Amino acid sequence: MRPPEIIFDERVSEDHKKAVCEYIARFPDGGPPAIISLEHFCLLTGLTIEAVFGITNSAHAFYRSFNVRKANGGNRRIDAPLPTALLAQRWILSNILEKKECHPAAKAYVKGQSIRTNARFHRAQKYVLKVDVSNFFGSIKESHIYEMFRGFGYTKPVSTGLSKICCLNGSLPQGAATSGYLSNILLSEFDEHMLKFCRDRNLRYTRYADDIAISGNKIDRDEMIEKISSLFKPLSLRINRGKTKLIPQSGRQKIAGVVVNDKLSVQKDYRRGIRQAHYFIMKHGIFGHARFVKEKDPKALLERIIGQISHTLFIRKDDADLMSMKNDLLRERFSVFGY
């Protein structure tokens, strides 16, 4: 790739020209691009300087926040960026962050990896240790992200602007396009230490965002918790001890929603719920079933059940019974809603 042609104003000194050229030379081909200033960032992204300054100075105005119900009955806050902030974040993700490789043990937010590839690594093991991280994204501070961009070679003003575009209220928001990949880069050294620590003990290690999984024939739970806690201190992260469990093969070994005891599968009650919903929809139609379960939006209910089947088929790709149920519901959707 040819280096960019730089045209300087005639009033720019030779020393300044030299400094700019030296700065650009820090960024080799194939890596993150040189960004001279926030104004230059605007030219690269097509955003106006007013929009970028708006995001960096009043980020809360560029997000829509809501709660989603978790499987355990609690709520998870999602901060979803509005289109302008989302555009900026997607540009940063594609042009800067994805130029940096994540550690192979990181299985979330990485192309070619998924909950299935993460779970498959721990299938049919004698013990599985699940370690959950408390307030994962909220604990990763803007200062961590600023230092990361500085480490990429960006100037202080550019690093400040990029970190503010990626953060909300001083930390990574759950819902931003950049949060997942940023967390993977930040935890690369942690992942490397943990992988070596586990390999030395003939154990398997992966991390799916805030879900750490360790498996093998013999696991010292206290030793692992102590090791993870010590590595977490510089990152301001903490283990959620209430969700940290050592599960023998005689119990239900579940990693990021996937059961790994023998062959990969979903929980029996999850699959049972799909079967029941399919049965009643086939018997009474989606409107009849929606009235029975007191769902005000039959269309959303049908889409949710189809989504659940698709998720299960992603885990169990050759399940003919599930595929038959999905086809039934797709025909129901076409006959009732026309698509």
Side-chain angles (χ1 to χ4, degrees):
M1 181 184 294
R2 294 177 57 189
E5 182 181 358
I6 305 172
I7 301 175
F8 292 102
D9 187 279
E10 60 184 12
R11 294 168 293 181
V12 176
S13 68
E14 291 302 317
D15 286 344
H16 186 75
K17 292 178 183 178
K18 181 181 178 182
V20 170
C21 291
E22 289 177 349
Y23 171 71
I24 291 174
R26 295 183 200 171
F27 300 88
D29 289 348
I35 303 175
I36 299 171
S37 64
L38 285 186
E39 288 81 2
H40 183 208
F41 176 78
C42 292
L43 291 174
L44 293 170
T45 61
L47 293 168
T48 65
I49 192 64
E50 292 80 10
V52 171
F53 281 159
I55 299 170
T56 56
N57 291 296
S58 302
H60 63 276
F62 291 83
Y63 283 84
R64 179 175 66 93
S65 301
F66 54 93
N67 292 321
V68 295
R69 188 171 296 279
K70 297 195 290 187
N72 62 10
N75 289 315
R76 175 180 287 111
R77 178 187 170 96
I78 302 296
D79 296 298
L82 295 175
T84 300
L86 182 60
L87 189 155
Q89 290 171 1
R90 283 179 173 168
W91 190 93
I92 292 170
L93 176 64
S94 298
N95 295 277
I96 300 177
L97 302 182
E98 289 182 344
K99 303 293 184 181
K100 299 287 184 178
E101 288 189 4
C102 299
H103 192 276
K107 303 299 183 182
Y109 314 111
V110 180
K111 292 176 181 177
Q113 301 291 350
S114 66
I115 57 172
R116 190 175 193 278
T117 59
N118 178 59
R120 186 173 58 195
F121 197 65
H122 301 280
R123 186 178 64 82
Q125 297 297 301
K126 190 172 182 179
Y127 290 97
V128 169
L129 176 65
K130 290 175 50 180
V131 182
D132 184 78
V133 186
S134 295
N135 189 28
F136 180 60
F137 289 114
S139 297
I140 299 176
K141 302 304 179 186
E142 188 177 311
S143 58
H144 295 129
I145 305 308
Y146 168 81
E147 292 298 336
M148 184 185 298
F149 284 120
R150 287 288 286 153
F152 292 171
Y154 292 117
T155 63
K156 290 181 179 179
V158 170
S159 297
T160 297
L162 294 176
S163 61
K164 287 187 176 297
I165 290 170
C166 296
C167 292
L168 177 66
N169 298 325
S171 63
L172 289 185
Q174 184 159 350
T178 43
S179 291
Y181 211 93
L182 282 168
S183 68
N184 280 345
I185 296 174
L186 183 68
L187 268 70
S188 289
E189 189 173 344
F190 168 84
D191 289 331
E192 179 59 27
H193 283 303
M194 282 303 303
L195 183 63
K196 184 179 185 306
F197 190 74
C198 290
R199 279 181 172 172
D200 289 344
R201 289 154 180 78
N202 294 316
L203 299 172
R204 302 181 177 201
Y205 165 81
T206 62
R207 182 181 56 79
Y208 194 85
D210 58 349
D211 288 328
I212 294 169
I214 299 164
S215 64
N217 290 328
K218 184 179 179 182
I219 301 175
D220 187 328
R221 179 183 183 276
D222 293 336
E223 178 188 45
M224 285 298 169
I225 289 177
E226 182 179 351
K227 179 64 175 179
I228 293 169
S229 296
S230 67
L231 293 174
F232 270 175
K233 283 183 180 179
L235 301 172
S236 303
L237 296 174
R238 292 183 299 107
I239 291 174
N240 185 341
R241 291 180 180 267
K243 292 185 177 181
T244 296
K245 300 176 181 178
L246 181 61
I247 311 168
Q249 201 167 22
S250 58
R252 187 173 62 192
Q253 297 173 326
K254 187 176 68 169
I255 298 174
V258 182
V259 178
V260 298
N261 291 70
D262 182 16
K263 58 184 179 181
L264 300 185
S265 62
V266 298
Q267 293 177 238
K268 289 182 179 179
D269 53 353
Y270 186 87
R271 187 182 174 98
R272 188 181 303 116
I274 291 173
R275 286 183 179 279
Q276 289 176 343
H278 170 264
Y279 172 80
F280 286 115
I281 292 171
M282 291 299 96
K283 185 175 182 179
H284 303 294
I286 185 59
F287 288 100
H289 181 57
R291 284 194 298 270
F292 179 75
V293 298
K294 298 180 180 178
E295 170 61 60
K296 295 181 179 179
D297 190 341
K299 186 177 180 180
L301 175 62
L302 183 59
E303 292 294 345
R304 184 164 66 248
I305 297 166
I306 292 173
Q308 291 171 347
I309 296 176
S310 297
H311 166 74
T312 310
L313 277 169
F314 180 71
I315 306 302
R316 302 185 61 175
K317 295 181 180 295
D318 299 322
D319 193 313
D321 191 26
L322 280 171
M323 182 58 71
S324 176
M325 286 192 284
K326 182 176 180 179
N327 289 334
D328 286 342
L329 297 186
L330 289 175
R331 284 191 290 269
E332 173 76 5
R333 186 176 72 179
F334 183 79
S335 65
V336 175
F337 300 110
Y339 69 98

